[in-house]
Amino acid sequence: MRPIPKPVYERDINRLVGYYKKTFTKIADRLKVIPASGGLEKAYAESLLSQIMVILRDLDGSTKTWCEQVIKEAFTGAQAQTILALGDASSLSEAASSISFSMLARERTEALINDTYTDLLMATQNTERKIKQLVRSTVSETLRVKALEQMGRRTMKRDIVGDLTHKGLSAKLDSEVWVGIVDRAGRRWNLSTYTEMVVRTKLTQAHIEGTRVETMERGVDLAVISSHNAKDACRS
């Protein structure tokens, strides 16, 4: 059996991460209107949140489409490479055309797609929750500013207005909103970094599963033979 080449997914991963970065830019642009208007009234906040939710739903749709397409391609690509490595086809295109994509393969692929999308959706939903908190907090701070104006407390007003400036909002976006998850060790994962980590892991898993399913259905046993300190013919 010929060695199966290690897959490269950088282009697909970068495309997905690009969706997230584009979404960040769109949301940040929407939020820039807050300091420009000197705060955020409740009525406008609801409109702003509606716009942001549409942007996030578009991201969810793009993410789901990406998962369905790329995870399946990784799985079937591994199947084709396995067929070629076994010598059951003379070219990769011939190997790809001979993939049966059985019920087992379909079930494994769908499970991987669902797992990947669920993991990504969890982080997106966390971001959505943080955005809602940020916007509603800004509404509350705006009300406080108006109350302080009436009471003549300029120092407290100046501190709050500072938080409402573009610089203050940008800091909150970076430190709170764009955090996809916080793991058990307390590490805060940027949403783009988390996305890349998840899909890289899932694509590798899809490749392994595609290879395993194809060899199993062809009656071929797989084994990993280590060359570490080997002294016999098994050493590769």
Side-chain angles (χ1 to χ4, degrees), residues 51-79:
Q51 295 173 42
I52 292 173
M53 292 309 105
V54 170
I55 294 172
L56 288 173
R57 294 297 78 78
D58 286 345
L59 174 62
D60 290 342
S62 297
T63 299
K64 187 171 181 60
T65 299
W66 185 96
C67 290
E68 291 171 343
Q69 174 191 347
V70 179
I71 295 294
K72 183 177 179 180
E73 286 177 355
F75 191 99
T76 56
Q79 287 182 289

Side-chain angles (χ1 to χ4, degrees), residues 13-165:
I13 292 173
N14 290 338
R15 177 159 59 92
L16 180 62
V17 171
Y19 295 157
Y20 281 81
K21 290 182 177 180
K22 185 177 180 180
T23 297
F24 298 165
T25 301
K26 286 183 177 180
I27 292 175
D29 286 344
R30 296 294 190 281
L31 293 174
K32 283 179 183 177
V33 303
I34 296 176
S37 62
L40 188 62
E41 300 290 343
K42 184 176 180 180
Y44 185 75
E46 295 304 320
S47 173
L48 180 61
L49 280 175
S50 295
Q51 295 173 42
I52 292 173
M53 292 309 105
V54 170
I55 294 172
L56 288 173
R57 294 297 78 78
D58 286 345
L59 174 62
D60 290 342
S62 297
T63 299
K64 187 171 181 60
T65 299
W66 185 96
C67 290
E68 291 171 343
Q69 174 191 347
V70 179
I71 295 294
K72 183 177 179 180
E73 286 177 355
F75 191 99
T76 56
Q79 287 182 289
Q81 288 178 344
T82 300
I83 293 170
L84 181 63
L86 290 171
D88 293 340
S90 58
S91 67
L92 192 59
S93 58
E94 181 186 342
S97 65
S98 65
I99 295 172
S100 63
F101 204 60
S102 64
M103 181 65 72
L104 176 61
R106 188 175 294 108
E107 288 176 353
R108 295 292 169 84
T109 303
E110 289 177 356
L112 283 164
I113 290 171
N114 291 333
D115 285 348
T116 305
Y117 182 61
T118 298
D119 286 349
L120 295 175
L121 192 61
M122 177 182 67
T124 306
Q125 288 173 340
N126 185 51
T127 296
E128 179 178 327
R129 180 173 57 84
K130 292 288 188 180
I131 288 173
K132 288 179 179 178
Q133 289 176 350
L134 175 62
V135 170
R136 287 165 183 164
S137 172
T138 304
V139 171
S140 298
E141 296 298 273
T142 301
L143 293 174
R144 286 183 63 195
V145 167
K146 291 185 176 181
L148 290 170
E149 282 179 342
Q150 295 175 355
M151 297 170 64
R153 297 186 178 180
R154 296 181 179 179
T155 301
M156 290 181 65
K157 174 191 170 184
R158 185 167 59 248
D159 291 341
I160 296 173
V161 170
D163 288 338
L164 295 176
T165 63

